[in-house]
Amino acid sequence: MFSIVLMVLATASPEASPKCSYDLRSTLLLDERAFDQDMNGGWRPLAANECYFEAAELIQKWRESHGAKDSTLYWHEGQMRASAGQYSQAVSLFEASRHPADQDRKWGWNLYVDGSVAFLKGDINALRSARDKLSVLPAPPELEDLKDINGNPSRVAWPMNLHVLDAFMRCWGQPYEVAYSCPK
């Protein structure tokens, strides 16, 4: 019991600043779309205020309270942990976000995961390999008839997430938070 108390105390965060505070009770009541995809709700205002640790903790609490296994939630928590400098935790979460190989073959998500993990582990060769494989992935036919929410033709930059792996290459050696959006 004593070791559990010490573990909880060791992982407890200091008192959050006002910009990093949130109403846990009401946030946990949000459905997944409102929690994860609303740019003005859920965990995203914390990220916008650079409260990465608090955002990661909130995503973890939401996932656990809802028994959610969605790969996107693992990914977003991993991004927040990486931005907070918690690379080993981020790697585990990124790995948990992988899609089954047969479902991912034409989309390249797992190559994006490979490149992101390589960046966090400091493996430039693995990053370059993932980036190069992603860069030659042909666009799936489903993208040809893509429509936006209003039914209008929509375009998606292809390959998806290649710009992030390119940013990691340009800002190699910088923290994840900086390299993720490294300017050209």
Side-chain angles (χ1 to χ4, degrees), residues 59-124:
I59 296 169
Q60 179 182 8
K61 289 174 186 172
W62 193 95
R63 271 191 316 99
E64 290 172 351
S65 73
H66 289 264
K69 303 287 186 211
D70 185 284
S71 64
T72 304
L73 291 169
Y74 285 109
W75 182 261
H76 288 152
E77 182 184 345
Q79 285 184 303
M80 294 299 98
R81 298 245 180 242
S83 293
Q86 298 178 320
Y87 286 10
S88 63
Q89 296 95 321
V91 166
S92 295
L93 290 157
F94 284 174
E95 294 289 358
S97 80
R98 287 186 182 281
H99 297 168
D102 61 321
Q103 295 173 16
D104 184 60
R105 193 164 282 109
K106 62 183 174 181
W107 295 102
W109 174 259
N110 292 341
L111 292 170
Y112 177 45
V113 172
D114 292 343
S116 298
V117 167
F119 177 82
L120 294 179
K121 289 183 172 183
D123 187 341
I124 189 78

Side-chain angles (χ1 to χ4, degrees), residues 11-76:
T11 59
S13 63
E15 199 63 40
S17 71
K19 76 176 188 168
C20 296
S21 63
Y22 56 90
D23 181 349
L24 178 61
R25 185 175 300 138
S26 66
T27 305
L28 290 179
L29 292 174
L30 296 172
D31 65 28
E32 186 170 341
R33 182 171 174 77
F35 176 75
D36 190 55
Q37 298 299 311
D38 180 353
M39 296 300 146
N40 298 310
W43 63 271
R44 292 185 183 267
L46 292 171
N49 284 332
E50 299 180 355
C51 301
Y52 304 122
F53 176 79
E54 291 82 2
E57 292 290 301
L58 179 57
I59 296 169
Q60 179 182 8
K61 289 174 186 172
W62 193 95
R63 271 191 316 99
E64 290 172 351
S65 73
H66 289 264
K69 303 287 186 211
D70 185 284
S71 64
T72 304
L73 291 169
Y74 285 109
W75 182 261
H76 288 152

Side-chain angles (χ1 to χ4, degrees), residues 105-156:
R105 193 164 282 109
K106 62 183 174 181
W107 295 102
W109 174 259
N110 292 341
L111 292 170
Y112 177 45
V113 172
D114 292 343
S116 298
V117 167
F119 177 82
L120 294 179
K121 289 183 172 183
D123 187 341
I124 189 78
N125 292 325
L127 171 58
R128 186 175 293 113
S129 175
R131 185 253 172 244
D132 290 348
K133 289 175 188 172
L134 184 60
S135 73
V136 297
L137 194 67
E142 294 89 333
L143 292 182
E144 291 176 19
D145 297 321
L146 196 62
K147 307 278 188 223
D148 68 15
I149 196 166
N150 299 315
N152 299 314
S154 181
R155 294 187 49 88
V156 172

